[in-house]
Amino acid sequence: MDSVEAEASTLYHVVAMPYPGRGHINPMMNLCKIFASKTNETINIDIIVTFVVTEEWLGFIGAEPKPDNIHFATVPNVVPSELVRAADHSSFFESTMTKLEAPFERLLDRLEPPATVILLDTLLFWAVGVGKRRNIPLASFWPLAASVFTVFHHFNLLPQNGHFPLPVSGYAIEY
C-alpha cells in the first residue's frame, strides 16, 4: 500500500425543514445551496441535503435548478393550501404547529443515509423535540429580517413600557 492511504470521506446529511411559506422556503433553499457547494474532496467532506416540503410545495419548486446533492422529500399536505392560507392564517399556523411533526418524523425514519443534522426554521419549534428524541443535532434558521426577530425576542418590553396593547378607536387590542 502507498504510504498515503485514501481516507474515507465524512458524509454530512443535512435535513432542512422550512416553515411552509414563501418567505421561508426560498431563503432556506438558498442557504442549502451554499451548504451543498461546500463538498470538498481535499478535506474529505461530502454534504447531501434533503429539503423537506409539502407535496403542494414540491409542485411549486420541484422544477427549480438545484445542485445534484440537494434532494427533495415531501410530507403530506396536512396544512391548508398555500393558495388559500391568507383567508385564515390562524388555522394555517395552527396546522403547521400541530400536524407537520408526525409526518416529518416518519420521513426521518425512511431516510438513507440517516440525518446527521436537522436544519429547522426557527418557527417550527416542534422540530427541537424531534431532534432531541432522536439525538440529532439541530441548527435553527431565522429567514426573516433581524428587526423582526428583535421585536419577537423583546416583545415582553412592549407591554412593560406601556406600548402594548394599542388603543384603537377607544378599544384596546389584546393578544
Side-chain angles (χ1 to χ4, degrees), residues 24 39 48 85 99 113 129 138 146 149 159 161 175:
H24 297 258
T39 295
I48 60 171
R85 76 178 182 139
K99 295 181 179 177
L138 299 153
F149 179 80
N161 291 307
Y175 289 94

Side-chain angles (χ1 to χ4, degrees), residues 7 17 24 37-38 50 62 65 83 87 91 107 127 134 144 157:
E7 292 181 36
M17 182 66 201
H24 297 258
S37 72
K38 299 302 179 190
T50 299
L83 302 175
S91 293
L107 173 77
R134 293 170 173 268
L144 305 175
L157 296 176

Side-chain angles (χ1 to χ4, degrees), residues 4 19 23 28 31 40 51 54-55 60 67 85 95 106-107 112 116 118 121-122 130 133 137 146 151-152 160-161 166:
V4 179
Y19 181 87
M28 186 173 281
L31 178 61
N40 188 323
F51 197 84
T54 62
E55 293 163 345
F60 296 148
R85 76 178 182 139
S95 295
R106 287 191 297 273
L107 173 77
E112 283 299 326
T116 54
I118 297 172
D121 190 297
T122 303
V130 171
R133 283 191 299 276
V151 169
F152 283 151
Q160 188 177 356
N161 291 307
L166 300 173

Side-chain angles (χ1 to χ4, degrees), residues 80-167:
S81 171
E82 174 70 14
L83 302 175
V84 298
R85 76 178 182 139
D88 188 1
H89 195 272
S90 295
S91 293
F92 181 84
F93 184 78
E94 182 180 340
S95 295
T96 301
M97 295 303 128
T98 59
K99 295 181 179 177
L100 278 177
E101 181 176 0
F104 179 71
E105 283 215 64
R106 287 191 297 273
L107 173 77
L108 287 175
D109 290 338
R110 298 188 316 262
L111 289 178
E112 283 299 326
T116 54
V117 67
I118 297 172
L119 174 63
L120 66 115
D121 190 297
T122 303
L123 290 182
L124 299 178
F125 52 85
W126 51 259
V128 173
V130 171
K132 284 185 174 187
R133 283 191 299 276
R134 293 170 173 268
N135 201 28
I136 302 171
L138 299 153
S140 180
F141 176 62
W142 179 263
L144 305 175
S147 57
V148 175
F149 179 80
T150 300
V151 169
F152 283 151
H153 186 67
H154 297 290
F155 190 81
N156 64 310
L157 296 176
L158 294 173
Q160 188 177 356
N161 291 307
H163 300 295
F164 190 83
L166 300 173

